[in-house]
C-alpha cells in the first residue's frame, strides 16, 4: 500500500482514512498483511502493520556496514535495507542521494512536490522487486505513479483509492499536470475505489473510466477513545457556539460560512462562530468577517490537532461543513460522535450515508443560516439530531469498510478483475 500521510502526522482527512482502512482490515481479517509505504514516517506510527520508510530505501548501491545503519532505520529494519539494495534496478547516482544511497523526502507537501512524487515512484520499483505481495493499493494522486510502476514491474493488480480529484480541489480550474497523473493512474488501475458516489461519477464522466471497475467505498470513523469521550460538553445556555473546522481553502466554501453567520447575527446576537483551521484563505476570511462588522463574534484558533479537534466539537452547539465539493468529509461524522448536530452541504459525499444531519446547498446561505438558527434556538431539534446522530454514526465502522475492500481485492486477485 502506497500512501502520503499516516497518523500521528496528520495534514488532513487522507491520514485519517489511511489509518481507518488499514486498521479496519487487519482488526477483523487475520489473513491480511499490509505493508504501508510512506515518504517519511516519524517512527511513532502504530505497529499493527509494517511501515516502509521510502527515505531509507536505497536506489544506489553503497557499501554500508550493518552497525552504521541499524540505529538509523525508522520504519523498516537494517535487514530490509540490504534486501532492497539487492534489487536496485538502474544507476540513480545522478539524483543526489545521501550517504546510504537513498533519496530524501521532506514529508508533507513541499514546494518540490512533483519531484518528490517522481522519486517516490522510482523507489517503488525497488520495492516491487523486493517484496512478496498479492495486490497494490495506492492512495490519492500523489502515489498513483508509484502504484503504476509497481504494477508494471510485478504484474500484480492495482487498486487506486480516489479520496479527491483535482475537480474537487480547484473548483473546476483543473491543473493539467495533476489531471494527467490522476488519469494515468485510473487508466492503469484494475479497480478504482472512490470515497462516494459523487466522486465515482466524477471519475466516470471527467476521467472517462469504465463504470464496471469504479466503486463507491464510503469512509467511516473509529469509536472515540475514553479520554475523548470524557471531554465535558460546555453549557452555552447564554451564548451558542457554531464551528467550522477544516482547511480554510476554496474547496471548503469558507466564505459561505461567514455569509451565513452574518445572516444569523442579524436575527440574534447570542451566537459565537469558531473558524478552526488554516489555509490559503485564512486572512481573507478574517478580513471578510471584519468587513461585515461581525469580527467580534468570530474566533480563529488556527490548526487543531489530536484532542484539540474533539474539544472543538464538544464545545460547539452546531458544526457546519459548507464545502463546495467534498468527496466525502469525515469531520461531520466525528462531530456527531461528540454529540454535536451538523449542517452539511448537499455537495458532500458523506451526505450519501448520513440522514440525521441538515443538508443545504453550499451557495444557499439563507438555508444554512436558518438551519444554524433553528438548532441553536430549538432544544427539541438539537436533542433529536444529537441523539439520533450518535446512533447513526455508531453503525458506520471501518471494519465494514475493510470487508468491502476485501471483496474488491478478491475479485481482482482471484477472478481476473472486473473487465474481461
Amino acid at each position: 500500500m502506497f500512501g502520503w500521510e499516516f497518523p500521528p502526522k496528520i495534514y488532513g482527512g487522507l491520514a485519517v482514512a489511511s489509518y481507518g482502512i488499514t486498521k479496519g482490515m487487519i482488526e477483523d481479517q487475520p489473513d491480511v498483511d499490509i505493508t504501508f509505504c510512506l515518504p517519511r514516517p516519524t517512527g511513532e506510527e502504530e505497529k499493527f502493520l509494517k511501515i516502509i520508510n521510502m527515505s531509507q530505501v536505497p536506489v544506489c548501491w553503497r557499501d554500508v556496514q550493518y552497525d552504521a545503519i541499524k540505529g538509523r532505520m525508522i520504519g523498516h529494519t537494517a535487514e530490509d535495507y540490504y534486501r532492497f539494495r539487492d534489487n536496485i534496478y538502474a544507476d540513480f547516482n545522478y539524483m543526489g542521494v545521501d550517504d546510504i544511497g537513498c533519496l530524501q523526502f521532506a514529508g508533507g507537501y513541499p514546494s518540490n512536490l512533483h519531484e518528490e512524487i517522481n522519486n517516490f515512484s522510482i523507489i517503488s520499483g525497488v520495492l516491487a522487486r523486493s517484496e512478496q505481495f498479492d495486490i497494490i493499493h495506492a492512495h490519492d494522486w500523489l502515489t498513483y505513479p508509484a502504484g503504476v510502476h509497481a504494477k508494471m514491474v510485478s504484474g500484480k493488480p492495482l487498486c487506486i483509492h480516489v479520496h479527491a480529484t483535482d475537480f474537487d480541489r480547484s473548483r473546476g480550474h483543473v491543473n493539467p499536470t495533476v489531471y494527467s497523473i490522476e488519469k494515468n493512474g485510473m487508466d492503469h488501475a484494475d479497480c478504482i475505489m472512490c470515497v462516494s458516489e459523487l466522486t465515482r461519477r466524477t471519475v466516470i464522466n471527467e476521467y472517462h473510466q469504465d463504470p464496471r471497475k469504479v466503486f463507491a467505498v464510503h469512509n467511516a470513523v473509529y469509536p472515540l477513545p475514553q479520554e475523548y469521550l470524557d471531554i465535558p460538553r460546555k453549557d452555552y445556555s447564554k451564548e451558542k457556539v457554531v464551528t467550522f473546522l477544516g482547511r480554510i481553502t476554496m474547496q471548503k466554501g469558507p466564505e459561505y460560512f461567514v455569509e451565513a453567520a452574518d445572516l444569523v447575527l442579524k436575527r440574534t446576537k447570542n451566537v459565537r462562530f469558531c473558524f478552526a483551521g488554516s489555509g490559503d484563505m485564512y486572512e481573507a476570511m478574517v478580513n471578510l468577517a471584519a468587513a461585515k462588522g461581525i469580527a467580534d463574534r468570530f474566533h480563529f484558533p488556527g490548526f487543531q490537532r489530536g484532542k484539540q479537534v474533539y474539544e472543538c466539537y464538544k464545545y460547539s452547539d452546531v458544526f457546519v461543513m459548507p464545502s463546495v465539493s467534498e468527496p466525502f468529509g469525515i469531520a461531520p461524522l466525528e462531530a456527531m460522535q461528540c454529540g454535536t448536530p451538523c449542517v452539511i452541504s448537499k455537495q458532500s459525499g458523506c451526505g450519501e450515508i448520513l440522514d440525521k444531519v441538515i443538508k443545504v446547498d453550499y451557495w444557499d446561505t439563507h438555508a444554512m443560516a436558518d438551519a444554524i438558527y433553528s438548532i441553536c434556538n430549538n432544544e427539541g431539534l438539537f436533542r433529536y439530531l444529537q441523539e439520533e446522530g450518535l446512533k447513526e454514526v455508531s453503525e458506520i465502522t471501518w471494519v465494514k469498510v475493510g470487508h468491502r475492500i476485501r471483496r474488491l481485492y478478491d475479485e481482482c486477485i482471484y477472478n481476473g478483475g472486473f473487465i474481461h
Side-chain angles (χ1 to χ4, degrees):
M1 195 174 279
F2 295 109
W4 209 256
E5 296 181 25
F6 201 83
K9 207 152 198 182
I10 297 174
Y11 298 93
L14 182 58
V16 177
S18 297
Y19 177 86
I21 288 163
T22 51
K23 190 85 186 266
M25 291 194 77
I26 284 176
E27 216 169 72
D28 206 49
Q29 300 177 48
D31 61 338
V32 169
D33 287 303
I34 298 175
T35 299
F36 201 97
C37 307
L38 274 169
R40 193 181 186 90
T42 63
E44 296 167 13
E45 290 78 12
E46 285 189 35
K47 300 295 190 280
F48 64 86
L49 77 178
K50 180 174 181 177
I51 299 282
I52 287 183
N53 181 354
M54 299 293 262
S55 291
Q56 293 183 333
V57 175
V59 293
C60 297
W61 203 95
R62 293 288 184 271
D63 187 8
V64 184
Q65 296 302 308
Y66 181 83
D67 288 342
I69 64 164
K70 67 176 180 182
R72 281 177 64 172
M73 294 293 120
I74 295 171
H76 59 262
T77 64
E79 287 79 7
D80 290 324
Y81 171 87
Y82 292 116
R83 186 161 47 82
F84 300 151
R85 194 180 66 174
D86 290 341
N87 287 282
I88 293 169
Y89 60 93
D91 183 0
F92 292 107
N93 278 294
Y94 67 94
M95 291 194 68
V97 295
D98 63 13
D99 60 314
I100 58 173
C102 301
L103 293 163
Q104 288 300 306
F105 292 88
Y109 300 88
S111 57
N112 66 330
L113 183 59
H114 286 277
E115 181 187 335
E116 295 218 333
I117 291 167
N118 182 59
N119 291 351
F120 196 85
S121 169
I122 287 169
I123 298 165
S124 73
V126 173
L127 294 177
R129 291 164 170 83
S130 309
E131 298 293 289
Q132 296 294 314
F133 54 94
D134 299 296
I135 198 159
I136 305 153
H137 192 148
H139 289 283
D140 239 10
W141 69 280
L142 306 128
T143 71
Y144 293 170
V148 171
H149 190 177
K151 177 182 177 176
M152 294 299 176
V153 169
S154 66
K156 297 294 169 70
L158 169 65
C159 291
I160 66 166
H161 214 114
V162 185
H163 296 269
T165 70
D166 210 51
F167 284 86
D168 303 302
R169 290 182 290 266
S170 66
R171 282 199 196 172
H173 301 292
V174 177
N175 180 323
T177 305
V178 176
Y179 177 87
S180 67
I181 292 172
E182 290 177 327
K183 187 165 190 320
N184 188 57
M186 293 174 191
D187 290 345
H188 284 89
D190 299 278
C191 174
I192 303 173
M193 301 180 193
C194 305
V195 292
S196 61
E197 185 60 36
L198 190 75
T199 307
R200 179 176 180 266
R201 287 197 297 271
T202 301
V203 166
I204 293 166
N205 296 332
E206 304 293 348
Y207 294 84
H208 316 295
Q209 297 302 306
D210 190 319
R212 291 175 295 173
K213 71 172 187 179
V214 189
F215 301 88
V217 180
H218 294 98
N219 287 331
V221 278
Y222 255 102
L224 293 184
Q226 195 60 45
E227 68 164 318
Y228 294 172
L229 290 171
D230 292 341
I231 298 168
R233 283 195 70 83
K234 292 286 178 81
D235 175 23
Y236 293 117
S237 47
K238 291 183 181 167
E239 281 194 319
K240 303 296 184 183
V241 174
V242 179
T243 294
F244 170 109
L245 189 150
R247 284 181 291 112
I248 304 177
T249 60
M250 187 167 60
Q251 178 190 349
K252 303 294 182 179
E255 69 270 37
Y256 300 103
F257 182 66
V258 180
E259 297 284 351
D262 187 37
L263 292 168
V264 170
L265 291 167
K266 283 182 167 58
R267 296 162 73 174
T268 178
K269 292 295 180 199
N270 69 334
V271 183
R272 289 188 178 275
F273 292 86
C274 174
F275 222 137
S278 59
D280 58 11
M281 288 182 71
Y282 179 92
E283 283 188 26
M285 292 305 100
V286 174
N287 293 336
L288 182 59
K292 289 186 172 293
I294 55 175
D296 61 319
R297 310 307 294 171
F298 266 80
H299 301 267
F300 291 85
F303 186 80
Q304 306 293 293
R305 50 173 54 83
K307 191 176 181 182
Q308 294 173 322
V309 171
Y310 293 90
E311 287 172 340
C312 233
Y313 294 139
K314 283 268 184 122
Y315 297 171
S316 305
D317 296 279
V318 186
F319 175 78
V320 183
M321 188 175 76
S323 298
V324 174
S325 181
E326 187 68 57
F328 185 78
I330 286 177
L333 282 72
E334 295 172 338
M336 291 162 76
Q337 285 184 299
C338 295
T340 303
C342 295
V343 179
I344 67 172
S345 72
K346 290 179 181 176
Q347 291 70 30
S348 305
C350 63
E352 296 168 14
I353 59 170
L354 294 177
D355 289 321
K356 306 303 188 246
V357 296
I358 296 179
K359 302 172 193 176
V360 298
D361 287 305
Y362 72 86
W363 44 262
D364 194 345
T365 50
H366 285 274
M368 199 181 296
D370 285 343
I372 293 167
Y373 183 85
S374 298
I375 296 169
C376 288
N377 289 278
N378 184 329
E379 184 70 16
L381 177 60
F382 175 89
R383 292 285 169 217
Y384 174 79
L385 290 172
Q386 181 180 59
E387 292 163 11
E388 294 302 315
L390 268 169
K391 287 180 198 169
E392 182 171 59
V393 79
S394 67
E395 296 297 314
I396 302 170
T397 69
W398 283 115
V399 167
K400 290 178 182 173
V401 175
H403 281 288
R404 170 129 171 87
I405 290 172
R406 176 59 182 272
R407 288 194 294 274
L408 295 175
Y409 280 177
D410 288 347
E411 193 70 32
C412 285
I413 296 167
Y414 303 117
N415 296 333
F418 300 94
I419 303 170
H420 302 292

